[in-house]
């Protein structure tokens, strides 16, 4: 049987994913009132049973609780899933190291060593795209990030990713 | 409050900002700052330090603090910076929600336009076609790829397209109702 590349595996998984924006969000989505962690877990398990293999979360969601819940659910299943999360470019995050530091926080919350996809959640008011790319490249080199995607400027990102030696762009 | 207690609080309760004294009894201030990346990723941190040395002040900003204040500090100054931190955080979150709602609304608009049974064509200020739905494609015979950027007059009948009778040319016969 021919070996399937990680890129192919990733693109197949991306056909349908599970979004985790409402997980843990008490302010806008009434987590803790309208639904609980157990209901979120049931949604996660049902999704996996139906073939979902890609989960998209963010440090912003539920003040990090979305990532924590995902980390707990992943530990309780033997089914491997691809994980995507996002860097939120607060104005006080303005150095190249801000992005790898934030990713470390996400990894700690999820209890994993790396994520499959790291995205820039929102255009940064203070960080140039080049600086964000440097931070992403550092994460790839350190092995904490396997893929990366900039939702803001795909063309610019594509150029930067290749010049920085990042493996692939979605 | 100790550093560990602060991290626990940041994780389990909703706050608008953190005032962090670098001289804590249990953990170093920088360790708490690092820990807040995990336990309070949405919180701006104002660092209080007894030292005006660059190693403490500038470094705290490099490590993700919103601002720093050296002791002894003016309480009014601290209040103003605290207000700025809370407001900047609120503003950024609000911008994010507005952008999210706007992109969702745009997506809905695109969906409505593209599934409408009537041909809907939008042009920009220069009269060039900027949007073209599926019904327009059936009606006029041009695909979206062919038509975007073309002058709007391309879909008008020839007598209206040409400025004067002498300059009128017969429209080329095209399949599909063009």
């Amino acid at each position: 049987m021919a070996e399937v590349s990680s890129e192919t595996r990733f693109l197949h998984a991306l056909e349908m994913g599970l979004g985790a924006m409402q997980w843990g969000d008490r302010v806008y989505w009434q987590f803790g009132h309208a639904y609980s962690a157990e209901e979120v877990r049931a949604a996660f398990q049902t999704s996996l049973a139906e073939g979902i293999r890609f989960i998209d979360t963010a440090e912003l969601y539920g003040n990090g609780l979305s990532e924590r819940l995902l980390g707990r659910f992943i530990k309780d299943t033997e089914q491997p899933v691809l994980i995507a999360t996002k860097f939120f470019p607060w104005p006080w995050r303005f150095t190249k190291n801000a992005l790898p530091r934030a990713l470390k926080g996400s990894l700690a919350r999820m209890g994993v060593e790396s994520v499959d996809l790291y995205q820039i959640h929102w255009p940064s008011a203070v960080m140039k795209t080049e600086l964000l790319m440097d931070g992403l490249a550092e994460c790839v080199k350190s092995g904490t990030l396997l893929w990366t995607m900039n939702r803001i400027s795909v063309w610019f990102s594509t150029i930067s990713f290749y010049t920085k030696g990042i493996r692939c762009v979605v | 409050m100790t550093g560990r207690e602060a991290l626990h609080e940041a994780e389990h309760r909703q706050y608008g900002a953190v005032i962090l004294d670098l001289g804590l009894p249990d953990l170093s201030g920088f360790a708490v700052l690092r820990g807040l990346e995990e336990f309070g990723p949405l919180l701006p941190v104002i660092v209080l330090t007894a030292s005006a040395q660059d190693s403490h002040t500038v470094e705290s900003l490099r490590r993700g603090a919103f601002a720093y204040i050296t002791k002894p500090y003016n309480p009014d100054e601290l209040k103003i910076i605290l207000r700025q931190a809370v407001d900047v955080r609120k503003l950024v979150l609000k911008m994010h929600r507005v952008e999210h709602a706007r992109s969702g609304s745009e997506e809905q608009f695109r969906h409505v336009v593209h599934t409408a049974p009537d041909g809907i064509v939008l042009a920009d200020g220069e009269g060039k076609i900027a949007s073209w739905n599926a019904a327009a494609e059936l009606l006029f015979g041009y695909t979206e790829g062919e038509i975007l950027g073309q002058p709007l007059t391309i879909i008008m009948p020839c007598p209206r397209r040409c400025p004067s009778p002498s300059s009128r040319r017969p429209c080329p016969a095209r399949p599909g109702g063009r």
Side-chain angles (χ1 to χ4, degrees), chain A residues 68-127:
Chain A
R68 286 194 188 283
L69 290 170
L70 178 58
R72 277 189 232 161
F73 302 158
I74 288 168
K75 280 200 185 80
D76 294 340
T77 177
E78 291 180 359
Q79 173 61 55
V81 293
L82 299 176
I83 301 170
T85 190
K86 308 181 194 79
F87 169 79
F88 198 84
W90 294 106
W92 53 88
R93 285 174 165 173
F94 59 90
T95 64
K96 185 181 84 173
N97 293 331
L99 190 143
R101 260 202 318 264
L103 179 56
K104 276 183 189 170
S106 289
L107 297 177
R109 283 187 289 277
M110 290 186 277
V112 296
E113 291 180 354
S114 66
V115 292
D116 299 280
L117 177 67
Y118 201 40
Q119 303 153 94
I120 311 300
H121 207 145
W122 170 258
S124 174
V126 291
M127 283 177 83

Side-chain angles (χ1 to χ4, degrees), chain B residues 73-169:
Chain B
Y73 59 86
N74 178 334
D76 289 338
E77 185 186 357
L78 177 59
K79 278 184 195 169
I80 289 167
I81 292 177
L82 183 59
R83 170 53 58 194
Q84 285 175 338
V86 170
D87 287 351
V88 166
R89 176 178 179 273
K90 272 189 195 167
L91 185 64
V92 172
L93 287 174
K94 187 170 182 180
M95 282 170 61
H96 177 68
R97 284 195 299 276
V98 168
E99 172 62 20
H100 194 264
R102 187 191 62 78
S103 64
S105 176
E106 272 186 11
E107 186 63 35
Q108 284 177 348
F109 171 76
R110 270 196 296 274
H111 186 69
V112 168
V113 167
H114 279 275
T115 56
D118 297 322
I120 300 175
V121 179
L122 301 179
D124 63 17
E126 295 175 352
K128 291 184 177 172
I129 294 171
S131 174
W132 184 257
N133 72 348
E137 186 171 327
L138 281 175
L139 190 64
F140 297 106
Y142 293 101
T143 65
E144 191 177 22
E146 288 175 316
I147 203 74
L148 291 183
Q150 296 291 328
L152 192 58
T153 51
I154 200 170
I155 57 170
M156 293 178 181
C158 265
R160 292 189 182 279
R161 197 188 303 174
C162 303
S164 66
S166 60
S167 62
R168 285 176 193 160
R169 297 283 183 276

Side-chain angles (χ1 to χ4, degrees), chain B residues 30-106:
Chain B
F30 286 137
V32 175
L33 194 54
R34 195 166 52 244
L36 284 168
E37 285 285 3
E38 178 185 347
F39 296 102
L42 312 188
L43 292 170
V45 181
I46 299 159
V47 167
L48 286 181
T49 172
S51 166
Q53 292 172 8
D54 280 354
S55 60
H56 283 165
T57 53
V58 177
E59 192 56 25
S60 64
L61 295 179
R62 286 204 183 107
R63 295 188 189 199
F66 175 84
Y68 68 83
I69 297 181
T70 52
K71 294 179 188 174
Y73 59 86
N74 178 334
D76 289 338
E77 185 186 357
L78 177 59
K79 278 184 195 169
I80 289 167
I81 292 177
L82 183 59
R83 170 53 58 194
Q84 285 175 338
V86 170
D87 287 351
V88 166
R89 176 178 179 273
K90 272 189 195 167
L91 185 64
V92 172
L93 287 174
K94 187 170 182 180
M95 282 170 61
H96 177 68
R97 284 195 299 276
V98 168
E99 172 62 20
H100 194 264
R102 187 191 62 78
S103 64
S105 176
E106 272 186 11

